[in-house]
């Protein structure tokens, strides 16, 4: 098994009532025999990036929010961005979506964001989501999550609150047995 879920979204099922993952969409960054790691992309926190990094970086105040990436290591910050030039050794998670692989890359991303904010799209996450060996497979088998291909547009969507509804509707559409316009729509 070589990262089969990397670059996929986990979309929380309606029945998943864990408050941490209720109506969550998780971008899977790593998946293998040793476990899985991802970032919740649709739970912005009330804190701006400039506020969260105050004292470490002199960032101009903007509206970029820190996202709650998950319950694991909530004090750790992770960054996802769209620039292959900032970390040439990093493989994309999906096309045009990269995860900063070091503190230096994190700093470079913030520097580019200060100097030329139109050049870079990025998101900062506090914490991540993690699963031990076989744990995620068990949750998938139970139907807790639906797997949907990830894409850059959704990762950096301007309205994070719309992502779960959009991907849930998309997943339901692909699993439909009959077209929407049919003689017996109740069969769907």
């Amino acid at each position: 098994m070589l990262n089969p879920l990397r670059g996929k979204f986990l979309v929380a099922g309606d029945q998943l009532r864990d408050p941490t993952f209720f109506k969550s969409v998780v971008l899977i960054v790593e998946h293998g025999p040793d476990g899985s790691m991802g970032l919740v992309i649709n739970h912005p926190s009330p804190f701006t990036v400039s506020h969260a990094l105050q004292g470490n970086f002199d960032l101009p105040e903007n509206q970029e929010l820190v996202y709650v990436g998950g319950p694991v290591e909530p004090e750790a910050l992770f960054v996802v961005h769209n620039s292959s030039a900032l970390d040439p050794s990093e493989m994309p998670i999906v096309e045009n979506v990269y995860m900063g692989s070091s503190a230096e890359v994190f700093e470079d991303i913030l520097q580019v964001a200060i100097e030329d904010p139109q050049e870079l799209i990025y998101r900062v996450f506090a914490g991540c989501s993690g699963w031990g060996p076989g744990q995620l497979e068990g949750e998938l088998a139970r139907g807790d999550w639906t797997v949907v291909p990830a894409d850059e547009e959704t990762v950096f969507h301007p309205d994070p609150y719309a992502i779960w509804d959009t991907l849930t509707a998309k997943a339901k559409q692909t699993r439909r047995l009959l077209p929407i316009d049919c003689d017996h729509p109740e069969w769907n």
Side-chain angles (χ1 to χ4, degrees):
M1 175 167 57
L2 184 62
N3 264 334
L5 292 178
R6 179 181 164 95
K8 302 281 194 293
F9 288 131
L10 299 181
V11 180
D14 293 329
Q15 74 285 358
L16 186 58
R17 298 294 180 189
D18 177 335
T20 303
F21 293 111
F22 182 68
K23 291 192 173 186
S24 289
V25 175
V26 180
L27 172 64
I28 295 297
V29 175
E30 293 296 331
H31 177 76
D34 295 329
S36 306
M37 185 258 198
L39 298 167
V40 177
I41 64 162
N42 65 326
H43 289 180
S45 77
F47 303 104
T48 63
V49 171
S50 55
H51 175 78
L53 297 173
Q54 188 175 334
N56 296 311
F57 295 97
D58 188 25
L59 292 173
E61 186 61 45
N62 62 29
Q63 299 305 310
E64 291 291 328
L65 296 175
V66 173
Y67 284 68
V68 179
V72 179
E73 298 183 54
E75 293 83 28
L77 295 178
F78 301 88
V79 64
V80 173
H81 60 92
N82 70 337
S83 175
S84 63
L86 289 171
D87 193 4
S89 65
E90 183 68 21
M91 294 296 297
I93 300 166
V94 295
E95 188 175 354
N96 296 321
V97 177
Y98 301 86
M99 184 160 175
S101 61
S102 67
E104 292 79 24
V105 171
F106 193 97
E107 288 182 40
D108 291 346
I109 290 166
L110 295 176
Q111 193 60 42
V112 170
I114 292 168
E115 293 170 3
D116 191 2
Q118 303 305 317
E119 186 69 26
L120 179 70
I121 301 172
Y122 71 98
R123 292 273 161 89
V124 174
F125 297 88
C128 64
S129 302
W131 293 265
Q135 184 181 2
L136 181 54
E137 289 77 6
E139 292 179 16
L140 289 167
R142 250 192 342 256
D144 292 345
W145 303 97
T146 299
V147 178
V148 176
D151 60 81
E152 176 188 17
E153 180 181 328
T154 306
V155 171
F156 300 116
H157 197 283
D159 182 4
Y161 301 107
I163 294 173
W164 185 85
D165 289 326
T166 300
L167 290 180
T168 298
K170 183 178 178 180
K172 287 180 181 176
Q173 181 67 28
T174 60
R175 290 190 312 240
R176 209 174 266 292
L177 298 175
L178 300 172
I180 291 176
D181 297 328
C182 64
D183 292 336
H184 300 283
E186 67 276 6
W187 290 352
N188 280 322

